[in-house]
Structures are given as structure tokens and as C-alpha cells.
Amino acid sequence: KLFALCDLNNDGFISFEELATAMRKFHKAAGISMDYIIEKSFFSMIGFDKDKNQKLDKEEFALFIVGFAQQNSTPDNITDLHELIDFLAVTSLSKENTLEEENYIRAVSAQWTKKIKALQDKMFEPATTNTATDDGGTADIDSPSVSNTLDVVDGGAEKWC
């Protein structure tokens, strides 16, 4: 049911815009800034969009929720997954984002979805590496590269971490 509440256009996926909209509802009471929610949505899409289509399917969304619960737990206060899901569902039904918040999320979603795709493409593009050969020369070999992947996003890791 939580998936259905977040899937606003009923296409069977949670887009960046839908995720950011839902996360805004969940974090609004805590006074968390919109910019933080947009960044959090970005990294959630990067972390849980396993098929790299810039959307979360039901399985990816379930993994996101488990990760969300783990991230919001401390050694002294373990977040119960069932309680968290209940809270998220109630929050989703009871709290509405303002029109200004909805318009802002809609306005930035296309840009952030492009950043997600660019980073996913960068993370999985082959990189050329020089390797010594038996005759003392070098040869290029392809290997997957995940180094410097955040450089593709405005300013790199230092802005986000």
C-alpha cells in the first residue's frame, strides 16, 4: 500500500519526483530543508535503482524502505520496520505538501533525473587502463570504473557529503 501511495501516476514505478514528493511529506514535520530532501532523493535513486532506469520498482522500493529504516535507527533506538511503514503510510495520507513545494519538486525533477542517469552511466562505463606487457610495453585493457563518479554531478562528492 505504501508503494501505491507514493506511485502518484500509477505507472508501477516511483520516479524521482514521486520519491522527493513522498520524502518531503515524511520529513516536513522535522523541519528538514527541501534541498536536503532533493539530495537525499538523488542518492536514494542512485543507491536503490538497480536496473538504472531512473525509477524504483516495487522490489527496489522495498529495499529503499529497509535502508531508510536502518538509516533512521541508532544503537539505542532500533526503528521497527512495520512501525516505520505505518508511519510513512499515515504521513503520506494525512500530510499534504504545499503547492509551492509541489511546483519546486516538479521543476527540479527533470534536471535531477538527468543527473541520476549521468552518474549511473559514468559508474558503469568501461575505463581504459594501461598494463605492462611481456615485452616491456603497455597495453590498454577495459575495466569497469566507479572512481570519480560523483565528479559528474555539480561539484563532486564534497558538495554532497
Side-chain angles (χ1 to χ4, degrees), residues 1-8 21-26 84-97:
K1 295 201 184 250
L2 183 58
F3 183 89
L5 291 171
C6 294
D7 182 16
L8 300 175
T21 298
M23 288 182 75
R24 179 63 182 162
K25 289 180 182 181
F26 308 149
L84 175 66
I85 291 171
D86 288 345
F87 166 77
L88 296 175
V90 168
T91 303
S92 183
L93 289 171
S94 65
K95 294 203 184 290
E96 292 298 322
N97 292 327

Short mmCIF file of all heavy atoms in Angstrom, two decimals, residues 1-8 21-26 84-97:
data_model
loop_
_atom_site.label_atom_id
_atom_site.label_comp_id
_atom_site.label_asym_id
_atom_site.label_seq_id
_atom_site.Cartn_x
_atom_site.Cartn_y
_atom_site.Cartn_z
N LYS A 1 0.81 -1.20 0.00
CA LYS A 1 0.00 0.00 0.00
C LYS A 1 0.85 1.27 0.00
O LYS A 1 0.48 2.23 -0.62
CB LYS A 1 -0.95 -0.01 1.18
CG LYS A 1 -1.96 -1.12 1.10
CD LYS A 1 -3.14 -0.81 1.97
CE LYS A 1 -4.08 -1.97 1.94
NZ LYS A 1 -5.29 -1.72 1.25
N LEU A 2 1.98 1.23 0.70
CA LEU A 2 2.85 2.41 0.73
C LEU A 2 3.36 2.71 -0.67
O LEU A 2 3.41 3.86 -1.09
CB LEU A 2 4.01 2.20 1.70
CG LEU A 2 4.96 3.37 1.87
CD1 LEU A 2 4.22 4.61 2.36
CD2 LEU A 2 6.07 3.02 2.85
N PHE A 3 3.72 1.67 -1.42
CA PHE A 3 4.17 1.87 -2.80
C PHE A 3 3.08 2.57 -3.61
O PHE A 3 3.35 3.54 -4.31
CB PHE A 3 4.53 0.52 -3.44
CG PHE A 3 5.08 0.66 -4.83
CD1 PHE A 3 6.43 0.82 -5.04
CD2 PHE A 3 4.24 0.62 -5.93
CE1 PHE A 3 6.95 0.97 -6.32
CE2 PHE A 3 4.74 0.77 -7.22
CZ PHE A 3 6.10 0.93 -7.41
N ALA A 4 1.85 2.10 -3.48
CA ALA A 4 0.73 2.69 -4.23
C ALA A 4 0.51 4.16 -3.82
O ALA A 4 0.16 4.98 -4.67
CB ALA A 4 -0.53 1.88 -4.01
N LEU A 5 0.72 4.47 -2.56
CA LEU A 5 0.56 5.86 -2.11
C LEU A 5 1.62 6.78 -2.70
O LEU A 5 1.37 7.95 -2.95
CB LEU A 5 0.62 5.93 -0.58
CG LEU A 5 -0.56 5.31 0.16
CD1 LEU A 5 -0.27 5.26 1.66
CD2 LEU A 5 -1.85 6.07 -0.11
N CYS A 6 2.80 6.23 -2.93
CA CYS A 6 3.90 7.04 -3.49
C CYS A 6 3.87 7.08 -5.01
O CYS A 6 4.37 8.03 -5.61
CB CYS A 6 5.24 6.48 -3.01
SG CYS A 6 5.51 6.65 -1.24
N ASP A 7 3.30 6.06 -5.63
CA ASP A 7 3.21 5.99 -7.09
C ASP A 7 2.04 6.85 -7.57
O ASP A 7 0.97 6.35 -7.89
CB ASP A 7 3.05 4.53 -7.53
CG ASP A 7 2.99 4.35 -9.03
OD1 ASP A 7 3.37 5.29 -9.77
OD2 ASP A 7 2.58 3.26 -9.47
N LEU A 8 2.27 8.15 -7.62
CA LEU A 8 1.19 9.10 -7.87
C LEU A 8 0.54 8.97 -9.24
O LEU A 8 -0.64 9.25 -9.40
CB LEU A 8 1.71 10.52 -7.66
CG LEU A 8 2.26 10.81 -6.25
CD1 LEU A 8 2.87 12.21 -6.19
CD2 LEU A 8 1.17 10.64 -5.21
N THR A 21 8.60 13.88 -3.55
CA THR A 21 7.32 14.33 -3.01
C THR A 21 6.98 13.57 -1.73
O THR A 21 6.59 14.16 -0.72
CB THR A 21 6.20 14.15 -4.06
OG1 THR A 21 6.51 14.96 -5.20
CG2 THR A 21 4.84 14.53 -3.51
N ALA A 22 7.16 12.25 -1.77
CA ALA A 22 6.88 11.44 -0.58
C ALA A 22 7.85 11.77 0.56
O ALA A 22 7.44 11.93 1.71
CB ALA A 22 6.97 9.96 -0.93
N MET A 23 9.13 11.89 0.22
CA MET A 23 10.12 12.19 1.26
C MET A 23 9.86 13.56 1.89
O MET A 23 10.10 13.75 3.08
CB MET A 23 11.54 12.08 0.71
CG MET A 23 11.93 10.64 0.44
SD MET A 23 13.60 10.44 -0.17
CE MET A 23 14.53 10.72 1.32
N ARG A 24 9.36 14.50 1.11
CA ARG A 24 9.03 15.82 1.67
C ARG A 24 7.94 15.69 2.72
O ARG A 24 8.00 16.30 3.78
CB ARG A 24 8.59 16.79 0.55
CG ARG A 24 8.22 18.16 1.07
CD ARG A 24 9.39 18.84 1.71
NE ARG A 24 8.99 20.14 2.25
CZ ARG A 24 9.69 20.80 3.15
NH1 ARG A 24 10.82 20.32 3.60
NH2 ARG A 24 9.28 21.97 3.58
N LYS A 25 6.93 14.87 2.43
CA LYS A 25 5.86 14.65 3.40
C LYS A 25 6.41 14.04 4.69
O LYS A 25 6.05 14.44 5.77
CB LYS A 25 4.79 13.74 2.82
CG LYS A 25 3.95 14.39 1.74
CD LYS A 25 2.93 13.42 1.21
CE LYS A 25 2.11 14.03 0.10
NZ LYS A 25 1.09 13.10 -0.40
N PHE A 26 7.30 13.05 4.54
CA PHE A 26 7.83 12.35 5.71
C PHE A 26 8.72 13.24 6.57
O PHE A 26 8.74 13.13 7.77
CB PHE A 26 8.64 11.12 5.30
CG PHE A 26 7.93 10.18 4.37
CD1 PHE A 26 8.64 9.45 3.44
CD2 PHE A 26 6.54 10.02 4.39
CE1 PHE A 26 8.00 8.57 2.57
CE2 PHE A 26 5.90 9.15 3.53
CZ PHE A 26 6.63 8.42 2.62
N LEU A 84 7.60 1.85 11.04
CA LEU A 84 8.02 2.86 10.08
C LEU A 84 7.07 2.89 8.88
O LEU A 84 6.64 3.96 8.45
CB LEU A 84 9.45 2.61 9.61
CG LEU A 84 9.94 3.56 8.51
CD1 LEU A 84 10.04 4.98 9.03
CD2 LEU A 84 11.27 3.09 7.97
N ILE A 85 6.73 1.73 8.37
CA ILE A 85 5.83 1.66 7.22
C ILE A 85 4.47 2.25 7.58
O ILE A 85 3.88 3.02 6.80
CB ILE A 85 5.71 0.22 6.69
CG1 ILE A 85 7.04 -0.19 6.05
CG2 ILE A 85 4.56 0.09 5.69
CD1 ILE A 85 7.15 -1.65 5.69
N ASP A 86 3.97 1.92 8.78
CA ASP A 86 2.70 2.51 9.22
C ASP A 86 2.80 4.03 9.29
O ASP A 86 1.92 4.75 8.84
CB ASP A 86 2.30 1.96 10.60
CG ASP A 86 1.84 0.51 10.53
OD1 ASP A 86 1.56 0.01 9.42
OD2 ASP A 86 1.77 -0.12 11.61
N PHE A 87 3.90 4.53 9.88
CA PHE A 87 4.10 5.97 9.99
C PHE A 87 4.15 6.62 8.60
O PHE A 87 3.51 7.64 8.36
CB PHE A 87 5.39 6.28 10.75
CG PHE A 87 5.83 7.71 10.63
CD1 PHE A 87 5.21 8.71 11.35
CD2 PHE A 87 6.87 8.06 9.76
CE1 PHE A 87 5.59 10.04 11.22
CE2 PHE A 87 7.27 9.38 9.63
CZ PHE A 87 6.63 10.38 10.36
N LEU A 88 4.90 6.01 7.69
CA LEU A 88 5.03 6.57 6.35
C LEU A 88 3.68 6.58 5.62
O LEU A 88 3.35 7.54 4.93
CB LEU A 88 6.08 5.81 5.55
CG LEU A 88 7.52 5.89 6.07
CD1 LEU A 88 8.44 4.99 5.24
CD2 LEU A 88 8.03 7.31 6.09
N ALA A 89 2.90 5.52 5.79
CA ALA A 89 1.60 5.45 5.14
C ALA A 89 0.65 6.52 5.71
O ALA A 89 -0.02 7.23 4.96
CB ALA A 89 0.99 4.06 5.30
N VAL A 90 0.61 6.63 7.03
CA VAL A 90 -0.25 7.63 7.65
C VAL A 90 0.18 9.04 7.25
O VAL A 90 -0.65 9.89 6.90
CB VAL A 90 -0.26 7.47 9.19
CG1 VAL A 90 -0.91 8.66 9.87
CG2 VAL A 90 -0.97 6.18 9.58
N THR A 91 1.49 9.28 7.27
CA THR A 91 2.02 10.59 6.88
C THR A 91 1.66 10.90 5.43
O THR A 91 1.26 12.01 5.10
CB THR A 91 3.54 10.64 7.07
OG1 THR A 91 3.84 10.35 8.42
CG2 THR A 91 4.10 12.00 6.72
N SER A 92 1.80 9.90 4.59
CA SER A 92 1.50 10.10 3.17
C SER A 92 0.04 10.46 2.95
O SER A 92 -0.29 11.27 2.09
CB SER A 92 1.86 8.84 2.40
OG SER A 92 1.66 9.02 1.03
N LEU A 93 -0.83 9.87 3.74
CA LEU A 93 -2.26 10.14 3.61
C LEU A 93 -2.68 11.45 4.26
O LEU A 93 -3.59 12.13 3.79
CB LEU A 93 -3.07 9.00 4.21
CG LEU A 93 -3.05 7.70 3.42
CD1 LEU A 93 -3.70 6.59 4.24
CD2 LEU A 93 -3.76 7.86 2.09
N SER A 94 -2.02 11.81 5.37
CA SER A 94 -2.51 12.94 6.14
C SER A 94 -1.83 14.26 5.85
O SER A 94 -2.43 15.30 6.04
CB SER A 94 -2.39 12.64 7.64
OG SER A 94 -1.03 12.50 8.01
N LYS A 95 -0.60 14.25 5.42
CA LYS A 95 0.13 15.50 5.21
C LYS A 95 0.18 15.81 3.72
O LYS A 95 0.53 14.98 2.92
CB LYS A 95 1.54 15.39 5.76
CG LYS A 95 1.58 15.25 7.26
CD LYS A 95 2.90 15.70 7.78
CE LYS A 95 3.04 15.49 9.26
NZ LYS A 95 2.26 16.31 10.09
N GLU A 96 -0.14 17.01 3.40
CA GLU A 96 -0.06 17.46 2.02
C GLU A 96 1.08 18.45 1.89
O GLU A 96 1.31 19.26 2.78
CB GLU A 96 -1.37 18.13 1.59
CG GLU A 96 -2.54 17.17 1.48
CD GLU A 96 -2.33 16.08 0.45
OE1 GLU A 96 -1.76 16.36 -0.63
OE2 GLU A 96 -2.74 14.94 0.70
N ASN A 97 1.79 18.36 0.80
CA ASN A 97 2.80 19.36 0.51
C ASN A 97 2.08 20.61 0.00
O ASN A 97 1.00 20.52 -0.59
CB ASN A 97 3.78 18.85 -0.54
CG ASN A 97 4.65 17.73 -0.02
OD1 ASN A 97 5.00 17.71 1.16
ND2 ASN A 97 5.00 16.80 -0.88
#
